[in-house]
């Protein structure tokens, strides 16, 4: 969850992906989240099977409570993301209303995952280090404590990238690629200024639009190869 979920969070924030179409980036974002969810489920099953085989109680620590809560909310986040933002059935006003909640909940789940990892490695050190004990600061304790600090720094950098406005994907990039050659971003102003008898201009606009779509398709293929 720490590595794959962080990649899913910042995939829209990478400048070299801004020229790719929004639909392509949606599929990449959804694919990374699906991979992270599958790995989370596999790891949860492994943990419960290990505890049952060793007669270790389940769900007694704060680490397990927050971890399970993060996985449950992450599954809901993934389901709603597919239903509302990926499938073309949700109305635009619903997407606009849920987008801030979707972003905030994703960042909150990632922060909970970082906290769960920190509590988990600390719990493992306390249980595993006996001679010398964790309080004696053996090399294993120093190594894992440094790992925890790196997790905090990594999580802070990801949250910073995902929350800064200047890292946000610029909407005008897609408009420049999708609009007809010589036209306005959505083509509305160009269509409103066309005269009734300009059939040749309309044909030119359709040709230009088709060329723009082909150009955008080639760009998507190139972006997909570079992203994968």
């Amino acid at each position: 969850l720490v590595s794959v979920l962080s990649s899913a969070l910042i995939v829209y924030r990478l400048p070299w992906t801004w020229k790719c179409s929004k639909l392509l980036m949606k599929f990449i974002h959804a694919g990374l989240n699906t991979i992270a969810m599958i790995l989370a489920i596999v790891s949860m099953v492994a943990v419960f099977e290990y505890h049952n085989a060793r007669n270790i109680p389940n769900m007694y620590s704060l680490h397990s409570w927050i971890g399970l809560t993060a996985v449950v909310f992450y599954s809901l986040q993934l389901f709603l993301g597919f239903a509302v933002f990926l499938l073309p059935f949700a109305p635009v006003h619903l997407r606009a209303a849920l987008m801030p909640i979707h972003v905030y909940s994703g960042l909150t789940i990632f922060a909970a995952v970082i906290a769960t990892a920190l509590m988990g490695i600390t719990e493992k050190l306390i249980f595993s280090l006996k001679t010398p004990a964790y309080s004696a600061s053996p090399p294993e304790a120093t190594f894992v404590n440094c790992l925890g600090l790196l997790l905090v720094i990594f999580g802070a950098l990801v949250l910073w990238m995902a929350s800064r406005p200047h890292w946000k994907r610029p909407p005008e990039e897609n408009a420049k690629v999708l609009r007809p050659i010589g036209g306005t971003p959505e083509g509305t102003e160009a269509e409103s200024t066309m005269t009734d008898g300009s059939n040749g201009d309309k044909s030119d606009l359709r040709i230009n639009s088709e060329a723009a779509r082909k150009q955008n398709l080639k760009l998507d293929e190139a972006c997909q190869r570079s992203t994968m």
Side-chain angles (χ1 to χ4, degrees):
L1 279 179
V2 172
S3 58
V4 184
L5 177 55
S6 62
S7 301
L9 285 176
I10 65 174
V11 70
Y12 286 110
R13 305 287 174 151
L14 303 176
W16 52 274
T17 66
W18 289 349
K19 291 185 178 181
C20 300
S21 70
K22 188 72 174 293
L23 182 61
L24 173 63
M25 301 314 300
K26 278 186 177 182
F27 278 112
I28 295 175
H29 177 74
L32 289 172
N33 279 292
T34 302
I35 293 173
M37 189 70 242
I38 293 173
L39 295 176
I41 293 175
V42 170
S43 63
M44 292 286 292
V45 173
V47 167
F48 279 101
E49 288 185 352
Y50 177 79
H51 279 205
N52 294 333
R54 295 296 186 91
N55 293 322
I56 301 175
N58 292 311
M59 302 301 300
Y60 67 91
S61 63
L62 183 61
H63 162 73
S64 60
W65 284 27
I66 297 181
L68 183 60
T69 302
V71 172
V72 170
F73 278 97
Y74 187 40
S75 62
L76 294 176
Q77 171 90 344
L78 186 62
F79 173 76
L80 292 177
F82 271 104
V84 176
F85 299 104
L86 192 61
L87 299 179
F89 303 116
V92 176
H93 65 86
L94 179 61
R95 296 185 180 187
L98 292 181
M99 178 56 71
I101 301 175
H102 180 74
V103 173
Y104 176 78
S105 58
L107 298 179
T108 303
I109 292 171
F110 178 71
V113 168
I114 294 290
T116 302
L118 294 175
M119 288 185 290
I121 61 178
T122 304
E123 181 181 291
K124 185 65 176 178
L125 282 176
I126 294 175
F127 291 157
S128 299
L129 295 179
K130 300 298 182 182
T131 52
Y134 182 32
S135 58
S137 297
E140 296 88 347
T142 303
F143 174 78
V144 178
N145 287 345
C146 291
L147 174 63
L149 289 176
L150 291 176
L151 278 175
V152 172
I153 296 173
F154 176 75
L157 287 175
V158 171
L159 293 175
W160 182 81
M161 291 179 62
S163 60
R164 294 301 92 188
H166 59 273
W167 281 89
K168 187 176 180 181
R169 175 187 173 94
E172 63 272 10
E173 292 294 328
N174 275 346
K176 292 178 181 178
V177 175
L178 294 175
R179 70 185 179 188
I181 299 174
T184 55
E186 298 296 335
T188 54
E189 295 179 4
E191 292 175 358
S192 62
T193 56
M194 292 175 62
T195 59
D196 295 334
S198 57
N199 292 328
D201 293 339
K202 293 180 180 179
S203 300
D204 292 339
L205 181 59
R206 286 194 296 268
I207 294 174
N208 291 335
S209 300
E210 183 66 24
R213 283 193 294 269
K214 291 181 179 179
Q215 180 183 3
N216 187 49
L217 180 60
K218 293 179 180 179
L219 183 60
D220 285 349
E221 293 175 353
C223 290
Q224 187 173 14
R225 287 195 297 269
S226 62
T227 304
M228 296 306 179

